[in-house]
Amino acid sequence: MSRLRAGLFGLLVALCWAPLSMAADFRIETKVFVGKDSEPVSHNETLFQAGYVYDYLSEPQRITVFDQVHGRFVLLDPTRKLKVEIKTDDVVVFSDRFHTWAAKSSNGFMKFAADPEFEVKLSSDGKLTMVSPHLTYELETVPAESEQSAQQYREFSDWYARFNAMIHLGSTPPFPRLAVNKELAKNGLIPTQVTLTIPAQRTLGVSAVTMRSEHHVARRLLPRDIEKIGETANQLATFKSVDLAEFEPDAISKR
């Protein structure tokens, strides 16, 4: 995935993270497409078990474990057998700094992204549209199982958006995605498809971009999922611990 696409990824994909407190284990498969391409540029399998979330990215091969109870993300690189732990407190600090920087930026897009305002429309069939001169979201949604489910979905979606901005060089601020998450929670909705359209940004030197994520939920884990989680547990115990700069040289560690 190019740096531009990686930078926009967090604006698009919060993933269909469901309530971490749910007793049932389940899985979500997510595919991301650019423009009218029929082949995805990104493919994730996300597994929920016993309050932990295991996210497996196919290319590049990465595993992200979200351990909310202990306030941490753990990134694993199976190829190099490395791991890095990132505290959620550090994600908050980074996000606050990012907001301050973007709000003071002379770049119109960045300034908007710090404190975005959208024209919001919600149709009777659950299509949510959030429009601005800088970017537009179109979401196909389904009702959440409960108000609590919608709020818990928002909680992790917000964490993931901030975390993604922290670890990807050139990321746009996560705050537009947070605004989308807030609107979804307010209406008790969960997205099944998210389309992000960004018009040409001359000040950023990029052409118009359209990205789409599709989410497919299965309410149980497969046998191979259980095996994969077991393997990940072993990797968490045996992989060498490094800092973020060694694990991901292009990561943004401060702003």
Side-chain angles (χ1 to χ4, degrees):
M1 190 184 297
S2 69
R3 285 187 176 180
L4 170 62
R5 292 173 180 175
L8 298 175
F9 189 77
L11 285 177
L12 175 69
V13 183
L15 303 182
C16 273
W17 301 102
L20 298 182
S21 62
M22 288 180 62
D25 300 334
F26 60 100
R27 72 191 321 274
I28 297 170
E29 184 174 359
T30 301
K31 294 181 180 180
V32 177
F33 302 83
V34 175
K36 297 181 179 180
D37 291 351
S38 59
E39 293 296 320
V41 297
S42 176
H43 178 211
N44 294 61
E45 288 185 346
T46 309
L47 311 178
F48 298 77
Q49 186 187 58
Y52 290 83
V53 184
Y54 304 85
D55 183 61
Y56 298 87
L57 177 65
S58 59
E59 183 59 40
Q61 190 178 13
R62 290 287 189 274
I63 303 168
T64 303
V65 180
F66 180 59
D67 177 3
Q68 187 175 24
V69 173
H70 298 97
R72 63 175 187 164
F73 288 89
V74 183
L75 279 170
L76 300 104
D77 181 343
T79 302
R80 296 181 294 165
K81 297 184 178 180
L82 300 177
K83 65 180 179 181
V84 59
E85 179 175 316
I86 300 172
K87 296 293 187 182
T88 52
D89 286 347
D90 293 333
V91 176
V92 171
V93 170
F94 171 82
S95 185
D96 289 345
R97 289 175 177 171
F98 203 170
H99 181 271
T100 300
W101 175 84
K104 295 179 180 179
S105 175
S106 60
N107 182 291
F109 179 85
M110 287 295 179
K111 197 171 186 67
F112 160 82
D115 297 289
E117 294 184 3
F118 293 96
E119 178 184 350
V120 180
K121 297 179 181 179
L122 178 61
S123 65
S124 59
D125 62 356
K127 183 173 182 179
L128 176 64
T129 305
M130 300 180 64
V131 180
S132 79
H134 293 283
L135 55 86
T136 294
Y137 284 98
E138 296 175 277
L139 300 94
E140 296 180 10
T141 71
V142 294
E145 293 183 358
S146 66
E147 181 179 350
Q148 183 183 19
S149 295
Q151 291 298 330
Q152 289 174 319
Y153 164 84
R154 177 191 177 185
E155 181 180 356
F156 187 84
S157 297
D158 286 355
W159 275 117
Y160 187 84
R162 295 186 183 102
F163 175 72
N164 186 79
M166 182 177 181
I167 64 171
H168 287 109
L169 176 68
S171 289
T172 48
F175 312 110
R177 181 67 218 203
L178 303 189
V180 172
N181 296 341
K182 180 179 179 179
E183 196 66 31
L184 287 166
K186 184 177 76 173
N187 291 284
L189 300 172
I190 301 293
T192 57
Q193 179 171 294
V194 181
T195 301
L196 168 66
T197 302
I198 300 182
Q201 304 287 319
R202 292 189 179 89
T203 55
L204 295 180
V206 299
S207 303
V209 177
T210 299
M211 301 180 72
R212 183 181 82 258
S213 63
E214 297 179 352
H215 311 281
H216 303 278
V217 182
R219 293 295 174 181
R220 64 182 180 86
L221 296 179
L222 303 174
R224 63 180 174 87
D225 296 332
I226 304 299
E227 293 180 6
K228 187 179 290 187
I229 290 173
E231 182 180 358
T232 299
N234 181 63
Q235 293 167 336
L236 285 167
T238 60
F239 280 8
K240 176 185 176 182
S241 293
V242 297
D243 60 21
L244 183 58
E246 181 177 349
F247 185 92
E248 193 69 68
D250 287 339
I252 305 172
S253 58
K254 61 183 178 179
R255 193 175 291 275

